[in-house]
Amino acid sequence: MEEAEFEAFMQRLDQLSARRKLMQTQLAERKRQLDENIAKQKKENEQRRRNGEDGRAWQVLQQRIDMGKTCEQDILCGIDKSPEAREVRSYISKFAGQMRDYVEDTDDPDNEAAQARIVLDEQLERLHDQEARFNATE
């Protein structure tokens, strides 16, 4: 390899390294923001449940969560067998079925959720392609 080619190669490598570091920094910042948003949303959900805004079942369950007698994971996974947990799981199951049907109805051009899912799937596919090309150049 000639010296000029080697220098060009090294410059390209430096550029890729700097780009990778920038992307890592941006991703770390985005993750921090997402973590903050998730924590904030969790606190809001807990307060809404304590206030009874999500129904009596969630209010009782949140009290039990606060006392350390159960946790959200146990409620959702079926480990908590209380009547309130069963009620919540029943509601979630019905709602999830309705949402699945709604999001999967891609034949309806007026179905915004389905159309948004199609766009998201396409964008994710492009992102994966770009990642593969980027990783191939490293």
Side-chain angles (χ1 to χ4, degrees), residues 38-50:
I38 289 168
K40 178 183 174 193
Q41 185 64 49
K42 184 178 182 203
K43 285 183 182 193
E44 289 173 3
N45 288 344
E46 290 169 354
Q47 192 58 49
R48 202 175 56 248
R49 291 173 185 165
R50 282 183 195 103

Side-chain angles (χ1 to χ4, degrees), residues 23-73:
M23 289 174 75
Q24 284 177 321
T25 301
Q26 291 171 338
L27 286 172
E29 174 60 21
R30 182 68 179 134
K31 182 185 180 312
R32 186 192 63 73
Q33 291 172 351
L34 287 172
D35 289 344
E36 282 181 10
N37 288 341
I38 289 168
K40 178 183 174 193
Q41 185 64 49
K42 184 178 182 203
K43 285 183 182 193
E44 289 173 3
N45 288 344
E46 290 169 354
Q47 192 58 49
R48 202 175 56 248
R49 291 173 185 165
R50 282 183 195 103
N51 294 339
E53 295 173 36
D54 289 343
R56 180 72 180 142
W58 263 121
Q59 188 175 31
V60 170
L61 290 169
Q62 187 60 52
Q63 290 171 352
R64 292 182 59 227
I65 290 170
D66 292 343
M67 291 186 293
K69 293 185 176 183
T70 192
C71 66
E72 195 171 307
Q73 190 68 24

